[in-house]
Each structure stands twice: as structure tokens, then as C-alpha cells.
Amino acid sequence: MRRLLVPVFLLLLALSMCESSVLQDMCKSVAAGHPSISYSDCIKTFQADSASATVADERGLAAIATKIAEKAANATSARIAALRATEKDARRRDRLGVCAEVYSDAVEQLGEAADDIARGGDEATQDAVTQLSAALDAPGTCEDAFGEADDASPLAPEDDEFTKLATIALAVAASLSPPPSTATIRN
Ligand SMILES: *[C@@H]1O[C@H](CO)[C@@H](O)[C@H](O)[C@H]1NC(C)=O
């Protein structure tokens, strides 16, 4: 038994050194609060940015998550532009136009959220949470444009992915906010 435990212990130690414990704790809390986000989804999301390995605190994690979501919003904006450029059906082009607008707004909102997070302090953190909540609306609005027309959305995978990334960024930023006794309680 002892012969087995030592290598297992060393393996666990090695794994824990690869991921910062501030990241592990945050992903545990994000997964616990959001049934749609698993712990491993959360860890994998942060691993997309090498800064996650050495991040020192929660504010740093919020900055990283916001940047990852912004990158995805940028990529989705580019994909929408490409789809629009080749779409022959005018009504479908209009639906893509709705998506282009909300993702362009999301890019701006995420940029402002990143600035707010960098500024720090309770008020700026609340502003970041507001911007991130607004950005999180983009994929639903985009999907609705297609859903209401009974048209299959060509952006379903991007919308799902962005929903996940923005949910993580919002959850991390919200965890920096003052406790509910002093903050406005939402939903
Ligand atoms: C997203 O695009 C904007 C301008 O279109 C750029 O300023 C920003 O750096 C990009 N963000 C990321 C994270 O790539």
C-alpha cells in the first residue's frame, strides 16, 4: 500500500503545482454556482492563457477570464463578417447583422470591463460586473434572431462557447464584489 501511495502523492503534488491554487479554488466556486460550467471546463478555459499558471489573486483571474472572452468575441465578430459577406439571402444577412451588432457591443463591453478590473476598487468592480452581464446577453440575442425565424443558427457553437466564457468571467468578477449586504442584490 505504501509503495502505491508515494507515487500517487507525488503525482498529486505535481498536478497541484501546475495549476495555481487560487485558480483551483475559483473554479471550484464557479462550478458550484453554475450547473452549466464544470470544474474541468473552467480549468481548461483558463489554461488557454499562459498567465493563468502564475496568477496571484482573484483580480488577476478576472482580468484573464475577461481577456479570453474578449478574444472569443473578436473571433466570432470576424466569423460573422465572413458569413455575411457570402450570404445571398437578405433576411439571413439581416439576422447575421443582429449578431454582428451584439458581438461588436460585447467586444466594447469586455474592453471596458477589463479596464474596470484593472482599475480596482468596489465601484469599478461593480461597473465591470455590469459590463460583463451586458456582454453575456450577446449570444442569446444572436440565437433569438435565428430562432424567431425558424432558421438554424450557423453560430450555435460560437454562441455556446461565448456563453460559457462570459459566464465564467462574470462569475469571477462578481466574486470580487463586496458582500451582498452592501451591494445591490440581483435576480
Ligand atoms: C479585440 O479587438 C479589438 C479591436 O477590434 C482590439 O483592440 C482588442 O485588442 C482585441 N482583443 C483581444 C483580446 O484580442
Side-chain angles (χ1 to χ4, degrees):
M1 198 59 194
R2 198 124 151 232
R3 283 210 325 243
L4 184 69
L5 278 177
V6 171
V8 166
F9 173 75
L10 288 176
L11 178 68
L12 288 175
L13 185 69
L15 283 175
S16 70
M17 282 160 69
C18 291
E19 288 157 13
S20 80
S21 69
V22 60
L23 172 58
Q24 293 174 331
D25 290 347
M26 181 56 76
C27 282
K28 271 178 210 155
S29 135
V30 169
H34 298 82
S36 63
I37 314 277
S38 71
Y39 174 75
S40 76
D41 269 347
C42 176
I43 294 283
K44 273 191 210 127
T45 295
F46 278 101
Q47 281 170 345
D49 191 320
S50 60
S52 301
T54 53
V55 69
D57 60 13
E58 278 104 11
R59 189 164 296 277
L61 282 179
I64 293 168
T66 301
K67 190 171 110 192
I68 291 170
E70 188 185 331
K71 216 165 152 189
N74 276 1
T76 300
S77 291
R79 166 138 171 82
I80 296 167
L83 288 171
R84 257 173 122 187
T86 56
E87 180 58 60
K88 305 240 168 13
D89 183 318
R91 281 164 305 182
R92 213 149 197 253
R93 258 199 323 273
D94 285 347
R95 285 165 215 148
L96 288 167
V98 171
C99 299
E101 195 174 329
V102 291
Y103 271 99
S104 149
D105 290 346
V107 168
E108 245 175 68
Q109 287 150 352
L110 288 162
E112 282 177 30
D115 293 345
D116 291 331
I117 290 164
R119 198 171 313 132
D122 289 347
E123 204 173 310
T125 302
Q126 286 296 328
D127 290 346
V129 167
T130 303
Q131 298 290 349
L132 289 167
S133 308
L136 182 52
D137 285 342
T141 306
C142 173
E143 285 300 294
D144 283 351
F146 287 91
E148 281 159 12
D150 250 330
D151 187 8
S153 166
L155 294 161
E158 286 85 354
D159 284 327
D160 281 352
E161 179 68 11
F162 182 76
T163 299
K164 185 181 85 182
L165 300 178
T167 300
I168 292 173
L170 176 58
V172 176
S175 78
L176 307 175
S177 290
S181 55
T182 56
T184 312
I185 300 172
R186 289 167 172 273
N187 68 69

